[in-house]
Amino acid sequence: MNRLARFAGFGRHEAPPEEAPHPVDVVVERMDAQELREPIIEAIRGVYDPEIPINIYDLGLIYTIDISDNGDVAIDMTLTAPSCPVAGMMPLMVKDAVAAVEGVGEVAVELVWDPPWGQDQMSDEAKLQLGML
């Protein structure tokens, strides 16, 4: 302790230093990558194309969901058309929704155009809602 600290009274009423605590083993339960798949899909189902009242998962806009062992997620998605007005926002909406799922690490969403989206990629539920069945 330097002279100024002693003069100011630092350390006068301190308790004696305690022994360093013993390290505690903390067990963190990690979810299996496949256990994350359903919560991730449910999170994506919460994202809607503002022009179509169907979630983007059932629209068939999500092509792949790759989940690594450490919980990182890589998603390839497309849009109904390259000129879609929400092209800049939609991948961010998907990223934010998936990142909120417990157990998910880093999320990367890539917008792809191959294969081009078609109505045949829609789920039967989406087709039914749009009167296509």
Side-chain angles (χ1 to χ4, degrees):
M1 186 180 321
N2 67 29
R3 281 189 234 169
L4 182 57
R6 268 189 249 135
F7 178 75
F10 290 113
R12 280 192 194 150
H13 303 288
E14 287 182 11
E18 296 179 21
E19 290 183 29
H22 297 285
V24 177
D25 292 331
V26 177
V27 177
V28 176
E29 188 174 326
R30 185 164 294 225
M31 289 183 78
D32 181 69
Q34 291 308 313
E35 291 175 350
L36 280 173
R37 184 164 299 283
E38 282 305 314
I40 288 171
I41 290 171
E42 285 305 310
I44 295 171
R45 279 192 168 122
V47 178
Y48 285 78
D49 184 324
E51 297 177 325
I52 305 170
I54 308 291
N55 71 72
I56 65 168
Y57 188 83
D58 289 330
L59 271 176
L61 299 181
I62 303 297
Y63 285 166
T64 61
I65 301 172
D66 292 325
I67 307 166
S68 67
D69 290 337
N70 67 355
D72 291 350
V73 179
I75 297 172
D76 286 345
M77 69 171 289
T78 194
L79 299 173
T80 55
S83 60
C84 180
V86 292
M89 294 178 0
M90 195 70 69
L92 294 174
M93 293 165 61
V94 171
K95 181 177 181 175
D96 290 346
V98 173
V101 174
E102 187 175 339
V104 168
E106 295 292 318
V107 180
V109 179
E110 186 169 344
L111 201 53
V112 297
W113 302 107
D114 189 36
W117 179 83
Q119 293 179 359
D120 57 320
Q121 293 166 308
M122 295 170 60
S123 71
D124 288 341
E125 291 176 19
K127 289 177 184 176
L128 187 62
Q129 281 185 309
L130 293 174
M132 300 172 71
L133 273 183

